[in-house]
Amino acid sequence: MKVIDTFKRSGRNLRQAKTRTILTALALAVGGFTLTLTLAAANGAKAYSNRLIATNLDSSSLIVTKDKGLFGQGGGVNTKPQEYDDSLTSLGSRGVLVKELNQADIDKIAKLPGVESVFQTYATNAQYVTTANSKKYTASIQAYNNKISHDFIAGTVSTVVPDGSVVIPDSYLSLLNLGSANQAIGKTVTVKTQQVTGTTKSQDFKIVAVLTTPSTLISGDVGSTLLTSTTDARNIYNFINSGTINANRFLFVSARVVNGNNAQKLNATKATIINAGYAAESAADTQAVIGQIINVLQIIILVFGLITLIASFFGVVNTQYISVLERTREIGLMKALGMGRRSVLGLFVIEATWIGFFGALIGALGAVIIGLSINPWISHKLNFGSDSLLVFKPSQLVGLIIFLMIVTTIAGLLPARSAARLDPIEALRTE
Amino acid sequence: MVELKSVHKVYGKKPNEFVALNDVSFSIADGKTVAIVGKSGSGKSTLMHIIGGLDHPSAGEVEINGKVLSQLKRTEMDKFRANDLGFVFQSFFIEGNQSCYQNVALPLEITEVPVRNRRAMITAALEQVELLDKIDVKAKNLSGGQKQRLAIARAIVSKPKLIMADEPTGNLDSATGDKVIDLLFELNKTLNCTLIIVTHDEDLAARCSQQITMKDGQMVSSTEANKS
């Protein structure tokens, strides 16, 4: 029997048993649906984490700290009294002590081989930011880092923000009555800062660019961060921290690496910095940690998807056995007329493959339709910003459909084998 | 030429064994019409299964058109049935949900006849059984006689040299049955193929050129009529 005839005949058989075919396909579709959504969610999570890294971290730089505990490399938690160290500072109100970097450390790091320069964000909190015709809002201040990707919606920054200028996230536009993003360019905002002694200072900044609120945050509240020149940020930092333990001391600095986009160079420099007595992490390290969490979650859902698939597998086996029983006579006739075992086997196996195809198609399409329609809502609920939780890749969908077809083909083998082995005399007995 | 040499068929094992065929030998010349007659349980169905290659004899040899069936491999046996034999059954065994065309196409699909040659062969076969006007009708909508004629069209479509009919009129009233039998005899002449009919209808047996009578697994007589 020719392959094309086998396909036609099995397709015809399925059409004649429509209800059964559809129900079996639906059972399979549940597995296909789950697996499609799992893959899409994993894609989305990966894309999200990549964006997260790109908008928050510079992949060619290393984050350097004095305290290895901050990277989970031991230390940090104080279970017993420690020897006093000039660099120790208290984090938060729980009395956790961590070591901070001082100017001597920074100078030392800057001179290490492979390090191009040391970049500091001088991140700090202003008292508030305001305009002439708006209320006051909280804000944090940071130096603009051109090595991190920024999504400008109005204006732009070429490598550095000029002194006296500021880049704001779009979340301030309506709060500060700045109008649209384009209208905001050139307008002035006032930043008020306060020292521990109570002395305050007001400074005006001209808006040069507006960012989309970053997709998310690794360090601090990015949605309310104003980006200024390094000089401005440093001045504000020093003003606010003057007289405190934090003056000229930093938890983290960013070490820009010569040819840091080359992973080997980056890792070599990382080793150098660690040998010098500091802790260092690259964006890839951070990403690996996030990636691992995503992978574990994905495997958990994938296992559930596979469990439903096992149920569908036996569903197909069962249906095909019933189909063989129902068509005992037809099989007997075909065999009496000289159809070989292989052809009979092929006929039933291909039927199962068809079911796999339809089931997978229904499942995958259903997942895509439902996924695309709930995507905006779910992404909004999860604060994904401009990212989507579910990202469907055509190649994955095709791969999944083929995979399910293979699974059902295997499921169809056993019943098909019993069909192929039917004795035509027994099958054709009329009584 | 169909030739049986001391064919035995035994079912079951020693203490409970049942001898279905006991030393059956006969030969049928090409183009003959043969009736195998006998009561139920006489072994005539077993005999037909063995000639049709559906069952193997426990001992003895069956030779059809120069082929010794016991020497054929399973796939060769399948090919032999597909190419050399046509089967007509008492309960038709046609696929009710398929059209007449599709029913007759089955043997051609099995023997892998190219698709472009099929329609001509199917129309020819349906024309011979006078069902050409029903070509696209679903088989379940046919009458009993039409169904058996459709089964005959399926049996002759690949031009076999031997047609085996197992009680072809058993499910038909006598008038319709007669027409089916007339058709079979006519095809025997026009297609020049051997026709073997298993029946317990004496009148039908009498119309055949050769009668083989079975009783309790043994051949009681093999008579050749003078006519035809």
Side-chain angles (χ1 to χ4, degrees):
Chain A
M1 197 146 167
K2 288 181 179 173
V3 177
I4 176 82
D5 289 322
T6 312
F7 268 91
K8 278 189 193 164
R9 205 158 260 279
S10 50
R12 220 187 289 150
N13 287 337
L14 287 177
R15 276 200 297 282
Q16 271 158 23
K18 268 193 205 92
T19 321
R20 192 177 58 205
T21 308
I22 291 169
L23 286 176
T24 318
L26 280 180
L28 197 69
V30 176
F33 182 85
T34 321
L35 289 173
T36 310
L37 284 184
T38 309
L39 291 171
N43 291 340
K46 272 178 192 147
Y48 174 70
S49 87
N50 285 342
R51 222 176 104 85
L52 190 73
I53 300 296
T55 53
N56 287 282
L57 299 171
D58 168 13
S59 63
S60 66
S61 292
L62 295 164
I63 296 177
V64 182
T65 172
K66 196 162 192 176
D67 199 312
K68 294 178 169 64
L70 292 169
F71 290 150
Q73 292 163 3
V77 178
N78 318 120
T79 50
K80 58 182 181 192
Q82 293 183 309
E83 190 188 338
Y84 174 72
D85 182 329
D86 195 34
S87 66
L88 282 173
T89 191
S90 169
L91 256 195
S93 57
R94 298 283 305 276
V96 176
L97 292 172
V98 293
K99 294 174 182 172
E100 283 196 312
L101 298 155
N102 58 24
Q103 197 55 47
D105 291 315
I106 293 167
D107 293 343
K108 188 178 161 193
I109 293 164
K111 283 186 192 121
L112 288 173
V115 176
E116 187 183 288
S117 64
V118 172
F119 179 84
Q120 285 149 270
T121 55
Y122 297 106
T124 187
N125 286 321
Q127 210 179 358
Y128 58 81
V129 62
T130 189
T131 58
N133 58 348
S134 77
K135 293 181 182 172
K136 299 163 181 169
Y137 292 94
T138 59
S140 56
I141 314 278
Q142 263 188 34
Y144 175 83
N145 183 354
N146 68 308
K147 295 286 175 81
I148 293 174
S149 64
H150 294 94
D151 295 337
F152 295 107
I153 43 175
T156 186
V157 173
S158 59
T159 57
V160 291
V161 175
D163 289 347
S165 297
V166 70
V167 176
I168 63 163
D170 61 0
S171 47
Y172 280 113
L173 288 177
S174 59
L175 296 177
L176 297 176
N177 287 324
L178 293 167
S180 76
N182 283 318
Q183 289 166 342
I185 302 295
K187 286 188 179 165
T188 304
V189 295
T190 307
V191 173
K192 183 136 185 200
T193 48
Q194 187 182 30
Q195 289 184 311
V196 278
T197 53
T199 319
T200 61
K201 187 165 116 181
S202 277
Q203 249 180 298
D204 283 353
F205 289 94
K206 203 175 80 179
I207 299 169
V208 288
V210 180
L211 295 171
T212 54
T213 304
S215 57
T216 188
L217 33 125
I218 284 185
S219 49
D221 194 356
V222 188
S224 62
T225 299
L226 307 177
L227 301 173
T228 65
S229 70
T230 302
T231 315
D232 285 337
R234 188 196 302 133
N235 290 340
I236 292 171
Y237 184 90
N238 287 340
F239 175 75
I240 291 174
N241 291 313
S242 118
T244 73
I245 195 167
N246 284 324
N248 287 313
R249 297 221 310 200
F250 308 95
L251 208 48
F252 297 96
V253 293
S254 175
R256 289 183 173 164
V257 176
V258 184
N259 291 326
N261 289 322
N262 179 326
Q264 271 183 327
K265 292 261 167 60
L266 194 68
N267 285 330
T269 311
K270 181 178 158 186
T272 313
I273 293 174
I274 290 170
N275 283 337
Y278 302 97
E281 238 185 38
S282 64
D285 295 333
T286 313
Q287 197 166 15
V289 174
I290 299 172
Q292 203 178 356
I293 299 168
I294 293 171
N295 284 341
V296 169
L297 288 176
Q298 190 186 6
I299 287 168
I300 292 170
I301 315 175
L302 213 58
V303 166
F304 282 115
L306 288 175
I307 289 171
T308 50
L309 206 62
I310 292 170
S312 326
F313 178 89
F314 288 110
V316 173
V317 174
N318 186 36
T319 316
Q320 285 305 93
Y321 261 121
I322 294 170
S323 177
V324 169
L325 273 182
E326 245 177 27
R327 278 150 46 197
T328 301
R329 270 205 198 161
E330 187 190 340
I331 299 162
L333 174 81
M334 291 190 293
K335 293 199 74 180
L337 296 188
M339 192 186 274
R341 277 189 184 189
R342 268 168 161 226
S343 302
V344 177
L345 189 86
L347 203 58
F348 281 86
V349 165
I350 286 171
E351 262 190 57
T353 313
W354 273 123
I355 293 176
F357 173 71
F358 289 126
L361 201 67
I362 295 168
L365 283 183
V368 170
I369 291 168
I370 291 176
L372 290 181
S373 51
I374 65 164
N375 230 348
W377 178 77
I378 204 163
S379 302
H380 174 72
K381 281 280 170 199
L382 291 175
N383 274 326
F384 261 37
S386 56
D387 286 311
S388 296
L389 172 67
L390 302 168
V391 176
F392 297 100
K393 290 185 184 167
S395 60
Q396 275 184 345
L397 294 182
V398 171
L400 183 77
I401 291 172
I402 292 172
F403 171 68
L404 288 184
M405 284 169 74
I406 293 171
V407 168
T408 49
T409 305
I410 295 168
L413 268 176
L414 221 62
R417 221 169 67 114
S418 75
R421 293 191 163 182
L422 258 177
D423 177 6
I425 299 176
E426 289 296 325
L428 288 178
R429 241 182 252 293
T430 40
E431 292 83 28
Chain B
M1 181 83 161
V2 177
E3 197 164 4
L4 274 73
K5 293 175 194 160
S6 59
V7 168
H8 289 74
K9 181 69 190 180
V10 182
Y11 291 110
K13 292 254 159 67
K14 261 287 166 176
N16 303 319
E17 70 177 19
F18 169 72
V19 181
L21 291 178
N22 189 359
D23 196 17
V24 177
S25 306
F26 59 81
S27 68
I28 299 168
D30 284 345
K32 292 272 182 179
T33 54
V34 184
I36 299 176
V37 288
K39 288 179 186 155
S40 324
S42 61
K44 58 186 195 307
S45 286
T46 308
L47 189 60
M48 195 189 90
H49 291 151
I50 284 176
I51 299 172
L54 296 171
D55 210 348
H56 297 282
S58 308
E61 240 174 41
V62 182
E63 195 180 323
I64 297 173
N65 301 330
K67 285 176 188 139
V68 180
L69 297 193
S70 57
Q71 288 172 1
L72 297 181
K73 288 184 197 142
R74 201 178 57 233
T75 48
E76 290 171 328
M77 187 72 107
D78 288 336
K79 260 196 191 129
F80 160 74
R81 281 207 304 276
N83 293 318
D84 293 19
L85 296 187
F87 285 98
V88 178
F89 301 94
Q90 179 175 2
S91 14
F92 323 140
F93 294 137
I94 52 170
E95 284 306 313
N97 284 319
Q98 295 178 4
S99 69
C100 292
Y101 180 93
Q102 285 162 346
N103 267 287
V104 181
L106 178 61
L108 302 182
E109 287 177 21
I110 292 171
T111 50
E112 300 192 358
V113 172
V115 181
R116 59 181 181 280
N117 298 346
R118 286 183 196 167
R119 184 157 278 272
M121 295 172 80
I122 292 167
T123 7
L126 283 172
E127 197 162 17
Q128 272 168 317
V129 301
E130 293 168 26
L131 278 179
L132 193 52
D133 53 326
K134 307 279 187 196
I135 187 161
D136 291 321
V137 173
K138 278 199 174 177
K140 64 181 171 197
N141 297 328
L142 299 179
S143 72
Q146 286 172 330
K147 280 180 183 161
Q148 193 59 301
R149 268 151 55 203
L150 178 62
I152 292 170
R154 185 180 62 199
I156 61 169
V157 71
S158 39
K159 307 213 164 51
K161 297 180 191 76
L162 177 60
I163 293 177
M164 317 259 293
D166 186 4
E167 305 274 14
T169 59
N171 279 1
L172 301 174
D173 62 67
S174 54
T176 332
D178 285 346
K179 270 190 195 161
V180 167
I181 293 302
D182 289 343
L183 176 63
L184 282 173
F185 278 108
E186 190 190 312
L187 291 171
N188 159 253
K189 287 203 181 69
T190 53
L191 301 175
N192 193 27
C193 58
T194 312
L195 174 65
I196 300 178
I197 304 175
V198 173
T199 183
H200 48 242
D201 180 345
E202 297 287 336
D203 297 337
L204 168 55
R207 289 179 64 183
C208 295
S209 58
Q210 185 176 350
Q211 289 88 27
I212 293 166
T213 312
M214 299 293 297
K215 194 186 176 191
D216 298 333
Q218 281 179 308
M219 192 176 79
V220 184
S221 67
S222 171
T223 52
E224 293 205 35
N226 296 327
K227 64 170 188 174
S228 170

